[in-house]
Amino acid sequence: MSPSQQPASSNPSVTGEKATEADTRSSPAVGQSSENNSANRATEQSSERERNSGQQSGGQNLTPEQLKELTELKARDREVRAHEAAHQSTGGQHAGSMSLTYERGPDGAQYAVGGEVPIDVSPVAGDPQATIEKMRVVRSAAMAPAQPSSQDRAVAAQAMQTMLQAQAEMASGESQDDNGLSVFA
């Protein structure tokens, strides 16, 4: 995902980058539309069929360099899918649909080399306790992968900041209640 795809809202998502990188990094992105999700699912199914048909041919007619690239792409594909699935499963209702970026391998199949899962980091209006609970889930989702990226850590930090603000809001509300009239006064 390129840095130019910044969201207009405060909805960072957790993403992966190119296959040449050792870890999956994240960048903010706008949530996907339902027709985009359908297209993504169709691409994934097509990619799965292409990978399976490539496996059946056993990599025949590929040079040693192409076989090495293919091995790396397959490993990256597994890593990206596991990374984004961890965000999505932990994020629950606050996480959007996984969106993957593909690269065509020397065998003609497409392999995931990056991805993102949009996650809602906005506070719950007028309900600091619900905001605290939501930010705990968001933070857990951001840190869910085995190797969280710098963007994952940034989303977790943003969730923590929002959670602290909600806790302060709750504390100030309780102190106002303490200053009110008491039945026992």
Side-chain angles (χ1 to χ4, degrees):
M1 183 103 301
S2 70
S4 64
Q5 295 177 325
Q6 300 289 325
S9 67
S10 62
N11 260 355
S13 68
V14 193
T15 65
E17 292 292 305
K18 280 302 257 179
T20 57
E21 305 212 5
D23 65 329
T24 53
R25 282 198 268 150
S26 302
S27 61
V30 179
Q32 302 290 311
S33 69
S34 61
E35 85 181 23
N36 231 356
N37 290 336
S38 297
N40 196 31
R41 279 192 295 277
T43 302
E44 282 188 43
Q45 291 168 352
S46 172
S47 296
E48 187 68 30
R49 283 192 298 275
E50 289 174 3
R51 281 193 304 277
N52 289 340
S53 68
Q55 289 172 351
Q56 292 168 355
S57 69
Q60 296 173 5
N61 303 329
L62 295 178
T63 67
E65 294 83 23
Q66 289 174 322
L67 288 172
K68 181 180 179 200
E69 179 185 358
L70 188 59
T71 301
E72 290 170 0
L73 281 172
K74 286 179 179 182
R76 179 63 179 167
D77 182 90
R78 284 189 302 273
E79 179 185 348
V80 167
R81 289 175 191 274
H83 184 101
E84 303 308 334
H87 290 308
Q88 192 172 33
S89 65
T90 308
Q93 68 184 13
H94 307 298
S97 296
M98 183 187 323
S99 176
L100 299 172
T101 305
Y102 296 93
E103 183 176 307
R104 190 167 299 279
D107 61 349
Q110 291 187 335
Y111 298 91
V113 294
E116 66 185 28
V117 174
I119 190 153
D120 181 8
V121 297
S122 62
V124 177
D127 192 346
Q129 184 59 45
T131 297
I132 291 167
E133 292 167 15
K134 178 180 176 181
M135 291 306 115
R136 285 185 178 140
V137 171
V138 168
R139 185 175 184 284
S140 293
M143 299 303 287
Q147 297 179 342
S149 67
S150 59
Q151 180 63 29
D152 297 342
R153 293 177 199 283
V155 170
Q158 182 178 356
M160 183 59 91
Q161 184 65 37
T162 304
M163 187 176 8
L164 291 172
Q165 289 170 348
Q167 288 172 340
E169 186 179 324
M170 281 182 62
S172 72
E174 289 172 7
S175 68
Q176 287 175 359
D177 291 344
D178 292 344
N179 293 334
L181 295 174
S182 172
V183 176
F184 302 107

mmCIF file of all heavy atoms in Angstrom, residues 78-126:
data_model
loop_
_atom_site.group_PDB
_atom_site.id
_atom_site.type_symbol
_atom_site.label_atom_id
_atom_site.label_comp_id
_atom_site.label_asym_id
_atom_site.label_seq_id
_atom_site.Cartn_x
_atom_site.Cartn_y
_atom_site.Cartn_z
ATOM 1 N N ARG A 78 2.195 -17.089 2.485
ATOM 2 C CA ARG A 78 1.752 -17.672 3.762
ATOM 3 C C ARG A 78 1.901 -16.668 4.900
ATOM 4 O O ARG A 78 1.015 -16.539 5.747
ATOM 5 C CB ARG A 78 2.545 -18.941 4.073
ATOM 6 C CG ARG A 78 2.136 -20.154 3.266
ATOM 7 C CD ARG A 78 2.811 -21.431 3.772
ATOM 8 N NE ARG A 78 4.265 -21.355 3.750
ATOM 9 C CZ ARG A 78 5.017 -21.666 2.703
ATOM 10 N NH1 ARG A 78 4.457 -22.068 1.584
ATOM 11 N NH2 ARG A 78 6.334 -21.577 2.778
ATOM 12 N N GLU A 79 3.030 -15.963 4.920
ATOM 13 C CA GLU A 79 3.298 -14.981 5.980
ATOM 14 C C GLU A 79 2.275 -13.842 5.959
ATOM 15 O O GLU A 79 1.732 -13.471 7.000
ATOM 16 C CB GLU A 79 4.708 -14.425 5.795
ATOM 17 C CG GLU A 79 5.107 -13.378 6.809
ATOM 18 C CD GLU A 79 6.476 -12.769 6.511
ATOM 19 O OE1 GLU A 79 7.211 -13.292 5.665
ATOM 20 O OE2 GLU A 79 6.782 -11.752 7.134
ATOM 21 N N VAL A 80 2.021 -13.295 4.784
ATOM 22 C CA VAL A 80 1.073 -12.176 4.656
ATOM 23 C C VAL A 80 -0.326 -12.613 5.072
ATOM 24 O O VAL A 80 -1.008 -11.927 5.840
ATOM 25 C CB VAL A 80 1.063 -11.621 3.205
ATOM 26 C CG1 VAL A 80 -0.119 -10.695 2.973
ATOM 27 C CG2 VAL A 80 2.363 -10.901 2.909
ATOM 28 N N ARG A 81 -0.762 -13.758 4.574
ATOM 29 C CA ARG A 81 -2.105 -14.233 4.904
ATOM 30 C C ARG A 81 -2.261 -14.492 6.409
ATOM 31 O O ARG A 81 -3.276 -14.150 7.000
ATOM 32 C CB ARG A 81 -2.441 -15.493 4.110
ATOM 33 C CG ARG A 81 -2.662 -15.209 2.638
ATOM 34 C CD ARG A 81 -2.867 -16.498 1.841
ATOM 35 N NE ARG A 81 -2.824 -16.256 0.427
ATOM 36 C CZ ARG A 81 -3.858 -15.874 -0.312
ATOM 37 N NH1 ARG A 81 -5.031 -15.696 0.254
ATOM 38 N NH2 ARG A 81 -3.725 -15.676 -1.605
ATOM 39 N N ALA A 82 -1.260 -15.073 7.027
ATOM 40 C CA ALA A 82 -1.322 -15.333 8.474
ATOM 41 C C ALA A 82 -1.321 -14.021 9.256
ATOM 42 O O ALA A 82 -2.081 -13.862 10.229
ATOM 43 C CB ALA A 82 -0.142 -16.202 8.908
ATOM 44 N N HIS A 83 -0.502 -13.063 8.837
ATOM 45 C CA HIS A 83 -0.402 -11.770 9.509
ATOM 46 C C HIS A 83 -1.755 -11.047 9.475
ATOM 47 O O HIS A 83 -2.266 -10.603 10.506
ATOM 48 C CB HIS A 83 0.668 -10.922 8.808
ATOM 49 C CG HIS A 83 0.939 -9.601 9.441
ATOM 50 N ND1 HIS A 83 2.022 -9.378 10.244
ATOM 51 C CD2 HIS A 83 0.271 -8.423 9.383
ATOM 52 C CE1 HIS A 83 2.012 -8.124 10.658
ATOM 53 N NE2 HIS A 83 0.958 -7.519 10.144
ATOM 54 N N GLU A 84 -2.328 -10.945 8.278
ATOM 55 C CA GLU A 84 -3.602 -10.218 8.130
ATOM 56 C C GLU A 84 -4.757 -10.975 8.784
ATOM 57 O O GLU A 84 -5.656 -10.364 9.356
ATOM 58 C CB GLU A 84 -3.884 -9.926 6.662
ATOM 59 C CG GLU A 84 -2.794 -9.138 5.949
ATOM 60 C CD GLU A 84 -2.368 -7.858 6.646
ATOM 61 O OE1 GLU A 84 -3.153 -7.259 7.398
ATOM 62 O OE2 GLU A 84 -1.206 -7.444 6.444
ATOM 63 N N ALA A 85 -4.738 -12.306 8.736
ATOM 64 C CA ALA A 85 -5.791 -13.100 9.386
ATOM 65 C C ALA A 85 -5.762 -12.896 10.898
ATOM 66 O O ALA A 85 -6.816 -12.858 11.551
ATOM 67 C CB ALA A 85 -5.630 -14.579 9.043
ATOM 68 N N ALA A 86 -4.571 -12.728 11.464
ATOM 69 C CA ALA A 86 -4.460 -12.484 12.908
ATOM 70 C C ALA A 86 -5.133 -11.159 13.277
ATOM 71 O O ALA A 86 -5.855 -11.080 14.275
ATOM 72 C CB ALA A 86 -2.992 -12.466 13.336
ATOM 73 N N HIS A 87 -4.904 -10.131 12.461
ATOM 74 C CA HIS A 87 -5.569 -8.842 12.709
ATOM 75 C C HIS A 87 -7.091 -9.003 12.620
ATOM 76 O O HIS A 87 -7.826 -8.542 13.491
ATOM 77 C CB HIS A 87 -5.150 -7.800 11.674
ATOM 78 C CG HIS A 87 -3.741 -7.319 11.796
ATOM 79 N ND1 HIS A 87 -3.208 -6.845 12.965
ATOM 80 C CD2 HIS A 87 -2.763 -7.212 10.860
ATOM 81 C CE1 HIS A 87 -1.950 -6.472 12.750
ATOM 82 N NE2 HIS A 87 -1.653 -6.697 11.480
ATOM 83 N N GLN A 88 -7.523 -9.636 11.556
ATOM 84 C CA GLN A 88 -8.956 -9.740 11.298
ATOM 85 C C GLN A 88 -9.680 -10.552 12.364
ATOM 86 O O GLN A 88 -10.729 -10.139 12.853
ATOM 87 C CB GLN A 88 -9.180 -10.354 9.919
ATOM 88 C CG GLN A 88 -10.613 -10.221 9.454
ATOM 89 C CD GLN A 88 -10.770 -10.654 8.005
ATOM 90 O OE1 GLN A 88 -10.069 -11.545 7.547
ATOM 91 N NE2 GLN A 88 -11.687 -10.022 7.301
ATOM 92 N N SER A 89 -9.130 -11.679 12.742
ATOM 93 C CA SER A 89 -9.821 -12.528 13.717
ATOM 94 C C SER A 89 -9.850 -11.889 15.102
ATOM 95 O O SER A 89 -10.842 -12.001 15.820
ATOM 96 C CB SER A 89 -9.182 -13.916 13.774
ATOM 97 O OG SER A 89 -7.863 -13.834 14.252
ATOM 98 N N THR A 90 -8.780 -11.201 15.483
ATOM 99 C CA THR A 90 -8.735 -10.576 16.805
ATOM 100 C C THR A 90 -9.559 -9.293 16.846
ATOM 101 O O THR A 90 -10.124 -8.956 17.882
ATOM 102 C CB THR A 90 -7.270 -10.272 17.206
ATOM 103 O OG1 THR A 90 -6.511 -11.465 17.061
ATOM 104 C CG2 THR A 90 -7.175 -9.798 18.641
ATOM 105 N N GLY A 91 -9.643 -8.583 15.718
ATOM 106 C CA GLY A 91 -10.357 -7.309 15.665
ATOM 107 C C GLY A 91 -11.863 -7.432 15.716
ATOM 108 O O GLY A 91 -12.559 -6.463 16.029
ATOM 109 N N GLY A 92 -12.378 -8.609 15.412
ATOM 110 C CA GLY A 92 -13.823 -8.837 15.482
ATOM 111 C C GLY A 92 -14.619 -7.818 14.696
ATOM 112 O O GLY A 92 -14.303 -7.506 13.554
ATOM 113 N N GLN A 93 -15.646 -7.266 15.330
ATOM 114 C CA GLN A 93 -16.558 -6.331 14.662
ATOM 115 C C GLN A 93 -15.889 -5.013 14.293
ATOM 116 O O GLN A 93 -16.421 -4.259 13.482
ATOM 117 C CB GLN A 93 -17.778 -6.060 15.528
ATOM 118 C CG GLN A 93 -17.449 -5.286 16.799
ATOM 119 C CD GLN A 93 -18.654 -5.102 17.690
ATOM 120 O OE1 GLN A 93 -19.685 -5.743 17.496
ATOM 121 N NE2 GLN A 93 -18.544 -4.215 18.658
ATOM 122 N N HIS A 94 -14.740 -4.721 14.882
ATOM 123 C CA HIS A 94 -14.051 -3.457 14.613
ATOM 124 C C HIS A 94 -13.108 -3.555 13.422
ATOM 125 O O HIS A 94 -12.572 -2.551 12.964
ATOM 126 C CB HIS A 94 -13.276 -2.996 15.851
ATOM 127 C CG HIS A 94 -14.137 -2.939 17.072
ATOM 128 N ND1 HIS A 94 -15.235 -2.113 17.181
ATOM 129 C CD2 HIS A 94 -14.093 -3.640 18.227
ATOM 130 C CE1 HIS A 94 -15.816 -2.295 18.356
ATOM 131 N NE2 HIS A 94 -15.141 -3.219 19.005
ATOM 132 N N ALA A 95 -12.882 -4.774 12.913
ATOM 133 C CA ALA A 95 -11.984 -4.998 11.783
ATOM 134 C C ALA A 95 -12.801 -5.197 10.514
ATOM 135 O O ALA A 95 -13.859 -5.809 10.533
ATOM 136 C CB ALA A 95 -11.108 -6.224 12.032
ATOM 137 N N GLY A 96 -12.279 -4.664 9.420
ATOM 138 C CA GLY A 96 -12.923 -4.838 8.125
ATOM 139 C C GLY A 96 -12.418 -6.082 7.428
ATOM 140 O O GLY A 96 -11.734 -6.925 8.017
ATOM 141 N N SER A 97 -12.722 -6.170 6.157
ATOM 142 C CA SER A 97 -12.304 -7.321 5.354
ATOM 143 C C SER A 97 -10.848 -7.197 4.942
ATOM 144 O O SER A 97 -10.365 -6.111 4.642
ATOM 145 C CB SER A 97 -13.161 -7.420 4.097
ATOM 146 O OG SER A 97 -14.499 -7.657 4.438
ATOM 147 N N MET A 98 -10.189 -8.323 4.897
ATOM 148 C CA MET A 98 -8.801 -8.382 4.467
ATOM 149 C C MET A 98 -8.728 -8.052 2.979
ATOM 150 O O MET A 98 -9.530 -8.526 2.191
ATOM 151 C CB MET A 98 -8.259 -9.796 4.714
ATOM 152 C CG MET A 98 -6.812 -9.981 4.375
ATOM 153 S SD MET A 98 -6.214 -11.703 4.471
ATOM 154 C CE MET A 98 -7.060 -12.399 5.856
ATOM 155 N N SER A 99 -7.761 -7.234 2.619
ATOM 156 C CA SER A 99 -7.511 -6.902 1.220
ATOM 157 C C SER A 99 -6.043 -7.210 0.943
ATOM 158 O O SER A 99 -5.162 -6.755 1.673
ATOM 159 C CB SER A 99 -7.802 -5.419 0.979
ATOM 160 O OG SER A 99 -7.472 -5.067 -0.336
ATOM 161 N N LEU A 100 -5.789 -8.001 -0.089
ATOM 162 C CA LEU A 100 -4.426 -8.437 -0.374
ATOM 163 C C LEU A 100 -3.920 -7.843 -1.680
ATOM 164 O O LEU A 100 -4.695 -7.604 -2.602
ATOM 165 C CB LEU A 100 -4.371 -9.963 -0.447
ATOM 166 C CG LEU A 100 -4.780 -10.700 0.828
ATOM 167 C CD1 LEU A 100 -4.867 -12.201 0.587
ATOM 168 C CD2 LEU A 100 -3.828 -10.393 1.962
ATOM 169 N N THR A 101 -2.610 -7.640 -1.753
ATOM 170 C CA THR A 101 -1.928 -7.200 -2.961
ATOM 171 C C THR A 101 -1.170 -8.403 -3.494
ATOM 172 O O THR A 101 -0.513 -9.105 -2.727
ATOM 173 C CB THR A 101 -0.934 -6.064 -2.630
ATOM 174 O OG1 THR A 101 -1.643 -5.020 -1.973
ATOM 175 C CG2 THR A 101 -0.269 -5.535 -3.876
ATOM 176 N N TYR A 102 -1.262 -8.625 -4.807
ATOM 177 C CA TYR A 102 -0.696 -9.825 -5.401
ATOM 178 C C TYR A 102 0.453 -9.523 -6.352
ATOM 179 O O TYR A 102 0.531 -8.444 -6.930
ATOM 180 C CB TYR A 102 -1.771 -10.600 -6.174
ATOM 181 C CG TYR A 102 -2.873 -11.107 -5.294
ATOM 182 C CD1 TYR A 102 -4.031 -10.362 -5.097
ATOM 183 C CD2 TYR A 102 -2.763 -12.327 -4.644
ATOM 184 C CE1 TYR A 102 -5.041 -10.830 -4.275
ATOM 185 C CE2 TYR A 102 -3.766 -12.803 -3.835
ATOM 186 C CZ TYR A 102 -4.903 -12.045 -3.654
ATOM 187 O OH TYR A 102 -5.894 -12.504 -2.834
ATOM 188 N N GLU A 103 1.310 -10.512 -6.506
ATOM 189 C CA GLU A 103 2.376 -10.486 -7.497
ATOM 190 C C GLU A 103 2.319 -11.822 -8.233
ATOM 191 O O GLU A 103 2.132 -12.868 -7.612
ATOM 192 C CB GLU A 103 3.720 -10.322 -6.791
ATOM 193 C CG GLU A 103 4.900 -10.198 -7.733
ATOM 194 C CD GLU A 103 6.191 -9.948 -6.983
ATOM 195 O OE1 GLU A 103 6.249 -8.999 -6.176
ATOM 196 O OE2 GLU A 103 7.147 -10.737 -7.194
ATOM 197 N N ARG A 104 2.475 -11.759 -9.550
ATOM 198 C CA ARG A 104 2.452 -12.992 -10.343
ATOM 199 C C ARG A 104 3.820 -13.665 -10.279
ATOM 200 O O ARG A 104 4.837 -13.043 -10.496
ATOM 201 C CB ARG A 104 2.079 -12.684 -11.790
ATOM 202 C CG ARG A 104 1.798 -13.939 -12.604
ATOM 203 C CD ARG A 104 1.137 -13.641 -13.929
ATOM 204 N NE ARG A 104 -0.155 -12.990 -13.816
ATOM 205 C CZ ARG A 104 -1.314 -13.600 -13.558
ATOM 206 N NH1 ARG A 104 -1.324 -14.901 -13.354
ATOM 207 N NH2 ARG A 104 -2.438 -12.937 -13.501
ATOM 208 N N GLY A 105 3.804 -14.934 -9.966
ATOM 209 C CA GLY A 105 5.040 -15.706 -9.865
ATOM 210 C C GLY A 105 5.481 -16.230 -11.212
ATOM 211 O O GLY A 105 4.748 -16.149 -12.198
ATOM 212 N N PRO A 106 6.667 -16.803 -11.272
ATOM 213 C CA PRO A 106 7.189 -17.345 -12.527
ATOM 214 C C PRO A 106 6.353 -18.516 -13.058
ATOM 215 O O PRO A 106 6.441 -18.852 -14.230
ATOM 216 C CB PRO A 106 8.607 -17.795 -12.184
ATOM 217 C CG PRO A 106 8.659 -17.897 -10.706
ATOM 218 C CD PRO A 106 7.618 -16.971 -10.168
ATOM 219 N N ASP A 107 5.524 -19.097 -12.191
ATOM 220 C CA ASP A 107 4.646 -20.186 -12.614
ATOM 221 C C ASP A 107 3.308 -19.674 -13.140
ATOM 222 O O ASP A 107 2.444 -20.453 -13.526
ATOM 223 C CB ASP A 107 4.412 -21.164 -11.466
ATOM 224 C CG ASP A 107 3.739 -20.520 -10.270
ATOM 225 O OD1 ASP A 107 3.619 -19.268 -10.223
ATOM 226 O OD2 ASP A 107 3.340 -21.260 -9.349
ATOM 227 N N GLY A 108 3.117 -18.350 -13.135
ATOM 228 C CA GLY A 108 1.881 -17.756 -13.642
ATOM 229 C C GLY A 108 0.819 -17.550 -12.580
ATOM 230 O O GLY A 108 -0.181 -16.891 -12.832
ATOM 231 N N ALA A 109 1.007 -18.079 -11.390
ATOM 232 C CA ALA A 109 0.029 -17.926 -10.305
ATOM 233 C C ALA A 109 0.275 -16.606 -9.570
ATOM 234 O O ALA A 109 1.376 -16.043 -9.620
ATOM 235 C CB ALA A 109 0.135 -19.087 -9.331
ATOM 236 N N GLN A 110 -0.758 -16.127 -8.909
ATOM 237 C CA GLN A 110 -0.632 -14.901 -8.124
ATOM 238 C C GLN A 110 -0.403 -15.252 -6.658
ATOM 239 O O GLN A 110 -1.052 -16.152 -6.124
ATOM 240 C CB GLN A 110 -1.885 -14.048 -8.263
ATOM 241 C CG GLN A 110 -2.035 -13.453 -9.641
ATOM 242 C CD GLN A 110 -3.193 -12.489 -9.706
ATOM 243 O OE1 GLN A 110 -4.133 -12.570 -8.930
ATOM 244 N NE2 GLN A 110 -3.118 -11.559 -10.634
ATOM 245 N N TYR A 111 0.510 -14.507 -6.017
ATOM 246 C CA TYR A 111 0.854 -14.726 -4.618
ATOM 247 C C TYR A 111 0.689 -13.422 -3.853
ATOM 248 O O TYR A 111 1.081 -12.361 -4.348
ATOM 249 C CB TYR A 111 2.294 -15.238 -4.493
ATOM 250 C CG TYR A 111 2.477 -16.575 -5.175
ATOM 251 C CD1 TYR A 111 2.859 -16.659 -6.506
ATOM 252 C CD2 TYR A 111 2.216 -17.755 -4.490
ATOM 253 C CE1 TYR A 111 2.992 -17.880 -7.135
ATOM 254 C CE2 TYR A 111 2.342 -18.987 -5.111
ATOM 255 C CZ TYR A 111 2.727 -19.040 -6.433
ATOM 256 O OH TYR A 111 2.846 -20.263 -7.052
ATOM 257 N N ALA A 112 0.127 -13.506 -2.650
ATOM 258 C CA ALA A 112 -0.051 -12.323 -1.808
ATOM 259 C C ALA A 112 1.315 -11.838 -1.338
ATOM 260 O O ALA A 112 2.103 -12.616 -0.800
ATOM 261 C CB ALA A 112 -0.937 -12.656 -0.609
ATOM 262 N N VAL A 113 1.594 -10.553 -1.566
ATOM 263 C CA VAL A 113 2.858 -9.960 -1.134
ATOM 264 C C VAL A 113 2.632 -8.797 -0.167
ATOM 265 O O VAL A 113 3.571 -8.235 0.375
ATOM 266 C CB VAL A 113 3.721 -9.485 -2.329
ATOM 267 C CG1 VAL A 113 4.174 -10.674 -3.161
ATOM 268 C CG2 VAL A 113 2.972 -8.476 -3.177
ATOM 269 N N GLY A 114 1.380 -8.446 0.057
ATOM 270 C CA GLY A 114 1.033 -7.366 0.975
ATOM 271 C C GLY A 114 -0.446 -7.439 1.268
ATOM 272 O O GLY A 114 -1.191 -8.149 0.594
ATOM 273 N N GLY A 115 -0.857 -6.723 2.278
ATOM 274 C CA GLY A 115 -2.270 -6.737 2.599
ATOM 275 C C GLY A 115 -2.607 -5.731 3.657
ATOM 276 O O GLY A 115 -1.728 -5.055 4.205
ATOM 277 N N GLU A 116 -3.894 -5.624 3.915
ATOM 278 C CA GLU A 116 -4.364 -4.716 4.948
ATOM 279 C C GLU A 116 -5.699 -5.185 5.497
ATOM 280 O O GLU A 116 -6.446 -5.888 4.817
ATOM 281 C CB GLU A 116 -4.509 -3.300 4.408
ATOM 282 C CG GLU A 116 -5.597 -3.164 3.363
ATOM 283 C CD GLU A 116 -5.659 -1.780 2.749
ATOM 284 O OE1 GLU A 116 -4.616 -1.110 2.699
ATOM 285 O OE2 GLU A 116 -6.741 -1.376 2.330
ATOM 286 N N VAL A 117 -5.934 -4.799 6.731
ATOM 287 C CA VAL A 117 -7.212 -5.016 7.380
ATOM 288 C C VAL A 117 -7.576 -3.685 8.031
ATOM 289 O O VAL A 117 -6.927 -3.276 8.996
ATOM 290 C CB VAL A 117 -7.147 -6.132 8.447
ATOM 291 C CG1 VAL A 117 -8.459 -6.221 9.204
ATOM 292 C CG2 VAL A 117 -6.822 -7.467 7.816
ATOM 293 N N PRO A 118 -8.572 -2.989 7.491
ATOM 294 C CA PRO A 118 -8.951 -1.720 8.125
ATOM 295 C C PRO A 118 -9.535 -1.984 9.512
ATOM 296 O O PRO A 118 -10.221 -2.988 9.717
ATOM 297 C CB PRO A 118 -10.005 -1.130 7.187
ATOM 298 C CG PRO A 118 -10.369 -2.196 6.236
ATOM 299 C CD PRO A 118 -9.364 -3.300 6.325
ATOM 300 N N ILE A 119 -9.227 -1.107 10.445
ATOM 301 C CA ILE A 119 -9.746 -1.262 11.801
ATOM 302 C C ILE A 119 -10.210 0.091 12.311
ATOM 303 O O ILE A 119 -9.543 1.101 12.112
ATOM 304 C CB ILE A 119 -8.709 -1.917 12.739
ATOM 305 C CG1 ILE A 119 -9.347 -2.290 14.063
ATOM 306 C CG2 ILE A 119 -7.486 -1.055 12.913
ATOM 307 C CD1 ILE A 119 -8.670 -3.441 14.755
ATOM 308 N N ASP A 120 -11.361 0.107 12.933
ATOM 309 C CA ASP A 120 -11.982 1.331 13.414
ATOM 310 C C ASP A 120 -11.366 1.734 14.750
ATOM 311 O O ASP A 120 -11.524 1.030 15.745
ATOM 312 C CB ASP A 120 -13.492 1.098 13.560
ATOM 313 C CG ASP A 120 -14.255 2.316 14.039
ATOM 314 O OD1 ASP A 120 -13.651 3.409 14.129
ATOM 315 O OD2 ASP A 120 -15.456 2.179 14.319
ATOM 316 N N VAL A 121 -10.685 2.874 14.765
ATOM 317 C CA VAL A 121 -10.052 3.351 15.995
ATOM 318 C C VAL A 121 -10.760 4.577 16.563
ATOM 319 O O VAL A 121 -10.219 5.253 17.434
ATOM 320 C CB VAL A 121 -8.550 3.659 15.788
ATOM 321 C CG1 VAL A 121 -7.795 2.414 15.409
ATOM 322 C CG2 VAL A 121 -8.356 4.739 14.753
ATOM 323 N N SER A 122 -11.973 4.837 16.100
ATOM 324 C CA SER A 122 -12.706 6.002 16.606
ATOM 325 C C SER A 122 -13.329 5.680 17.964
ATOM 326 O O SER A 122 -13.737 4.542 18.216
ATOM 327 C CB SER A 122 -13.795 6.407 15.615
ATOM 328 O OG SER A 122 -14.738 5.367 15.459
ATOM 329 N N PRO A 123 -13.403 6.688 18.855
ATOM 330 C CA PRO A 123 -14.027 6.456 20.164
ATOM 331 C C PRO A 123 -15.541 6.268 20.017
ATOM 332 O O PRO A 123 -16.129 6.697 19.025
ATOM 333 C CB PRO A 123 -13.698 7.725 20.952
ATOM 334 C CG PRO A 123 -13.340 8.748 19.937
ATOM 335 C CD PRO A 123 -12.879 8.031 18.705
ATOM 336 N N VAL A 124 -16.155 5.642 20.999
ATOM 337 C CA VAL A 124 -17.606 5.482 21.026
ATOM 338 C C VAL A 124 -18.171 6.778 21.614
ATOM 339 O O VAL A 124 -17.882 7.114 22.764
ATOM 340 C CB VAL A 124 -18.026 4.260 21.878
ATOM 341 C CG1 VAL A 124 -19.538 4.148 21.945
ATOM 342 C CG2 VAL A 124 -17.405 2.993 21.327
ATOM 343 N N ALA A 125 -18.926 7.498 20.832
ATOM 344 C CA ALA A 125 -19.434 8.811 21.233
ATOM 345 C C ALA A 125 -20.273 8.731 22.504
ATOM 346 O O ALA A 125 -21.203 7.926 22.598
ATOM 347 C CB ALA A 125 -20.261 9.423 20.107
ATOM 348 N N GLY A 126 -19.892 9.532 23.490
ATOM 349 C CA GLY A 126 -20.671 9.649 24.723
ATOM 350 C C GLY A 126 -20.585 8.463 25.662
ATOM 351 O O GLY A 126 -21.336 8.404 26.631
#
